[in-house]
Amino acid sequence: MANNEDQFKKVVSHAKEYGYIFGSSEIYDGLSAVYDYAQNGVELKNNIRDYWWRSMVHMHQNIVGIDAAILMHPTTWKASGHVDAFNDPLIDNKDSKKRYRADTLVEDYAEKLNIKAQKEIAKAKKRFGEAFDEEQFVTTNPRVVGYLTKKKDVLERLARSLDNEDLADVKSLIEELEIADPETGSRNWTDVRQFNLMFGTQLGASAESATKLYLRPETAQGIFVNFLNVQKTGRMKIPFGIAQTGKAFRNEIVARQFIFRMREFEQMEMQFFVRPGEEMKWYDYWKETRLNWHLSLGLGAENYRFHDHEKLAHYANAAADIEFNFPFGFKELEGIHSRTDFDLKAHEKYSGKKLQFFDPELNESYVPYVVETSIGLDRMFLAVLSHSLQEETLDDGSTRVVLKLPSVLAPVKAAVLPLVKKDGLQEIAQKIVDELAWDYNVSYDEKDAVGRRYRRQDAAGTPFCITVDHQTKEDNTVTIRDRDSMLQERIPISEIAGKIKELVSVRNWLS
Ligand code: ATP
C-alpha cells in the first residue's frame, strides 16, 4: 500500500461517496485545506475520540480531562514561544510559483535515500535466504552504508541550520542536493523565509480598542494555564495528567494532503506532570503505552514506527513521533514530547503567578516536568480510513470494495435488512432497529436486492448485517453476516445485542 498515489485518490473519493468527508463550503469551490465531516465521518471521528478519551482518562485514575476555550489571553502565546518561534521555513519555486516547506523538501530527499537502502536490504535478504545477517549487511555493504550515511548527514545538517536559524544554509543544502520542485522538476528557488503559522483575530468591536488574539495553534497551553486549578480542585498528586481534545488552527504553508495537514484540525493531547528528573522514565512509559493503544486497533504492527527527533523544539529534551504508513509513506501521526518545565516556568514568568506543586514526600515545592502525548484526531481518522479501504477478489472472481474499519470505531454497527418488502418482514426489522438503537448506532435498509445491500454496507464499513427473512416469522431467528469473512450465522433475535456487544465493546478491544 505504501507510496500508492492511486490508493490515496481512492480513499479521498470513497470518503466523499460514502458520506465521510466533504470539502468545506464546496458550493463555493471549497476552502483550501479545510474539510467537513459528513454523516458517517462524524460518527467515526467521535468513536476515535471516545476510544482515546476512555483509554487515557477513564482508564487512568490519575488523569483527568478539561475542555478549555479556543481563544486565550494573548500573553499565553508570548509565554509559550509561539509568537516568536512558531514558524516554518518556506521556499517558493520561481517557475512553478508553488510554495513548499524547505525542511520537508530536504526530509523527503532523505527518506528517498532510506527507501533505496531498504530496497538493497530486501534484495539481499532474498538472495541470501536463511544465512542473511541483516546487521552485518547494513554495516558493511558499501551501497547501503553510503545511502544511510548520506541520509544521516543531510538530516543533521538540516537540524543544525534550523537550530542556528541559518536559512541561507538550508537553501544551500537544497541546491547542493539538487532538489527539484516535486511537481515540475524546476530548480529555480527563492530564498528560504520564516512564516508564522498562527491565525490572528480580534476581540472587541472597534478597531482602536480591539485586542489582537490568536486562534490556538495547539490545545496544550489551555492545559498549562489551568495546571494549578485542576491540581488543587482535583486534589491531584504528582505524577498526574490532564487531557483535552479540541480544535487547533495553523496557517499551514503547504496543505495538499487531504486531512493529513489541515488549517483547522483537532488534537487529542495529554500533559503528564512529573517530578523533575523522572521525566525520562515517563517518556519511555508513554511511548510504549501510546504505541500499544495504536496496536490495539489491529491496523498491523508493521505500519507503525518510532522516529526519534534529531532537532528538538525549544521546549523539549526528548521527542519522538509515532509514524504511520499512510498511502503516501510513513508520516507523523502522534508526537510524544518531554517538554521539561519550560511551559510552566514561562507562564510563571509572564503571569507573575506561582505554578508549583508541593510534594509532601520530598517536603518541597517545585515546577513539575511535563511529558506530553499529542495526536491529531484527523490524522488518526486518515490512518484508519486509508488502511481499512480494501479491494478484494472473491472466490467467484468478482471483486468487492470493503471498508474494514475496526468494528469498535465503525460509524454504524449493524444494518438491519428485511429480505423482501412484504409479508411483515419490514415491521420485524424495524422493531429490531428500534431495540438496538438504545445502545448502538444502527441503520435500516430495504432498498435493492439483498446482495447489493450487503455490498453497500461493506463499502460503508458496517461490520454486521442482520437479515430478517421468512424463517424469522416462524422461529424468531435472523442471520447475522460478518463484513470481513462474509460468513452468515443464524441466531435468535434475543442474542443479537449480546453478539454486537462482544464484537464492538471498547473493553474487548482495549484489553
Ligand atoms: P508536522 O511536523 O506534521 O507539521 P507537528 O510536529 O507540527 O506536525 P505537533 O505540533 O507535534 O505536530 O502536533 C501534534 C499532532 O497534531 C501531530 O502529530 C499531528 O497528528 C497533528 N497535527 C499537527 N498539525 C496538523 C495539521 N495541520 N493538520 C492535521 N493534524 C495536525
Side-chain angles (χ1 to χ4, degrees):
M1 197 177 67
N3 286 319
N4 186 335
E5 221 174 278
D6 271 358
Q7 166 71 4
F8 189 40
K9 280 192 189 137
K10 280 183 191 158
V11 170
V12 176
S13 61
H14 196 89
K16 177 162 185 197
E17 190 181 341
Y18 284 87
Y20 278 86
I21 294 169
F22 303 146
S24 159
S25 29
E26 255 181 23
I27 58 166
Y28 295 105
D29 293 336
L31 185 63
S32 145
V34 184
Y35 292 90
D36 294 342
Y37 284 84
Q39 65 276 17
N40 280 321
V42 67
E43 297 285 344
L44 174 56
K45 194 178 176 202
N46 287 345
N47 291 345
I48 296 173
R49 191 192 299 104
D50 183 59
Y51 195 68
W52 182 88
W53 189 267
R54 288 173 65 169
S55 87
M56 296 298 275
V57 181
H58 295 183
M59 299 306 290
H60 286 96
Q61 288 310 306
N62 60 349
I63 299 180
V64 292
I66 63 166
D67 183 16
I70 288 172
L71 298 176
M72 298 180 69
H73 192 285
T75 310
T76 308
W77 307 111
K78 199 67 199 151
S80 68
H82 283 83
V83 172
D84 297 319
F86 193 52
N87 302 317
D88 275 345
L90 72 82
I91 191 165
D92 291 290
N93 188 281
K94 290 185 197 163
D95 297 328
S96 71
K97 309 276 182 260
K98 294 247 183 254
R99 180 163 283 184
Y100 295 94
R101 262 174 68 172
D103 53 340
T104 313
L105 287 177
V106 176
E107 281 161 9
D108 287 350
Y109 179 92
E111 180 57 21
K112 277 189 197 136
L113 293 168
N114 185 40
I115 289 170
K116 281 185 187 161
Q118 299 309 325
K119 275 197 184 137
E120 293 287 337
I121 297 168
K123 259 199 307 200
K125 210 180 240 169
K126 220 164 154 191
R127 200 168 52 225
F128 293 112
E130 294 266 299
F132 186 59
D133 179 342
E134 181 163 337
E135 200 179 316
Q136 195 199 358
F137 186 77
V138 169
T139 47
T140 54
N141 177 278
R143 250 194 296 218
V144 172
V145 171
Y147 289 140
L148 293 179
T149 312
K150 183 154 186 205
K151 173 192 154 202
K152 185 162 164 276
D153 291 348
V154 164
L155 289 178
E156 277 174 4
R157 176 153 157 213
L158 174 70
R160 226 175 16 249
S161 346
L162 289 174
D163 262 350
N164 301 333
E165 297 201 15
D166 186 353
L167 298 181
D169 191 57
V170 177
K171 171 149 190 212
S172 308
L173 185 58
I174 288 174
E175 285 173 340
E176 283 164 37
L177 298 174
E178 302 188 347
I179 295 177
D181 181 333
E183 289 189 31
T184 65
S186 156
R187 289 198 207 119
N188 191 6
W189 296 110
T190 63
D191 287 342
V192 178
R193 282 169 297 143
Q194 290 289 19
F195 176 77
N196 192 292
L197 299 181
M198 280 199 293
F199 278 104
T201 185
Q202 286 182 352
L203 177 82
S206 71
E208 304 86 66
S209 64
T211 311
K212 180 158 171 91
L213 295 186
Y214 296 101
L215 301 184
R216 67 180 177 197
E218 62 177 26
T219 56
Q221 298 304 323
I223 293 177
F224 292 126
V225 300
N226 279 302
F227 160 73
L228 215 51
N229 282 340
V230 174
Q231 190 273 319
K232 289 222 143 70
T233 56
R235 300 153 60 93
M236 310 302 289
K237 287 199 181 53
I238 272 180
F240 75 92
I242 304 177
Q244 146 157 261
T245 71
K247 285 279 170 89
F249 302 80
R250 295 182 188 178
N251 200 357
E252 297 281 2
I253 299 171
V254 185
R256 296 190 196 112
Q257 280 166 325
F258 195 38
I259 57 168
F260 180 82
R261 192 175 297 288
M262 304 155 90
R263 299 208 160 98
E264 172 180 342
F265 59 101
E266 191 163 338
Q267 289 186 313
M268 307 191 285
E269 296 199 301
M270 192 278 300
Q271 311 293 326
F272 200 68
F273 300 92
V274 305
R275 270 187 196 160
E278 293 191 352
E279 68 274 14
M280 280 308 152
K281 179 178 95 185
W282 289 109
Y283 172 69
D284 291 336
Y285 170 85
W286 282 110
K287 270 176 78 172
E288 190 190 328
T289 305
R290 291 302 306 146
L291 183 63
N292 285 338
W293 180 84
H294 287 283
L295 296 179
S296 74
L297 288 169
L299 305 187
E302 70 284 3
N303 289 317
Y304 298 89
R305 70 181 189 198
F306 279 115
H307 167 232
D308 294 310
H309 283 207
E310 321 249 339
K311 175 184 186 286
L312 293 172
H314 57 278
Y315 52 74
N317 67 357
D321 298 334
I322 295 177
E323 295 185 335
F324 182 77
N325 190 10
F326 288 97
F328 37 83
F330 275 95
K331 294 274 179 206
E332 171 176 347
L333 170 59
E334 169 158 7
I336 292 124
H337 310 125
S338 174
R339 290 180 82 124
T340 70
D341 55 0
F342 174 86
D343 302 271
L344 290 179
K345 276 229 170 102
H347 288 304
E348 277 197 327
K349 182 173 144 210
Y350 279 85
S351 69
K353 312 262 169 30
K354 274 206 170 342
L355 295 174
Q356 305 195 352
F357 173 76
F358 177 74
D359 193 325
E361 278 172 38
L362 300 179
N363 200 26
E364 65 177 72
S365 292
Y366 51 78
V367 177
Y369 270 47
V370 172
V371 175
E372 155 186 89
T373 73
S374 173
I375 172 171
L377 175 49
D378 315 87
R379 266 189 209 181
M380 185 63 200
F381 186 110
L382 183 59
V384 171
L385 193 73
S386 60
H387 181 273
S388 301
L389 183 61
Q390 300 179 16
E391 219 174 280
E392 283 182 350
T393 306
L394 306 177
D395 290 343
D396 65 2
S398 66
T399 57
R400 70 160 182 163
V401 172
V402 51
L403 194 58
K404 292 191 170 175
L405 298 171
S407 53
V408 66
L409 302 181
V412 176
K413 301 302 186 204
V416 185
L417 326 171
L419 186 64
V420 289
K421 287 195 270 187
K422 56 180 187 195
D423 306 334
L425 302 189
Q426 289 157 295
E427 289 72 18
I428 302 175
Q430 193 59 58
K431 229 172 112 191
I432 295 175
V433 167
D434 292 344
E435 185 52 36
L436 290 175
W438 286 102
D439 297 305
Y440 305 103
N441 190 28
V442 289
S443 72
Y444 173 85
D445 190 2
E446 62 173 27
K447 193 170 176 292
D448 300 325
V450 76
R452 282 187 66 181
R453 280 181 269 166
Y454 285 153
R455 287 290 180 277
R456 190 153 64 223
Q457 297 297 338
D458 288 348
T462 310
F464 306 106
C465 283
I466 292 155
T467 306
V468 174
D469 54 21
H470 290 97
Q471 194 180 325
T472 311
K473 283 174 52 176
E474 284 159 30
D475 62 5
N476 277 324
T477 63
V478 291
T479 62
I480 180 161
R481 172 185 178 274
D482 180 274
R483 176 196 64 202
D484 300 344
S485 67
M486 296 189 290
L487 293 177
Q488 300 189 26
E489 196 188 337
R490 206 149 189 116
I491 59 169
I493 291 177
S494 58
E495 286 176 18
I496 300 175
K499 183 99 188 159
I500 295 179
K501 181 171 178 195
E502 181 193 317
L503 294 162
V504 307
S505 93
V506 171
R507 183 192 188 122
N508 289 350
W509 281 81
L510 260 183
S511 63

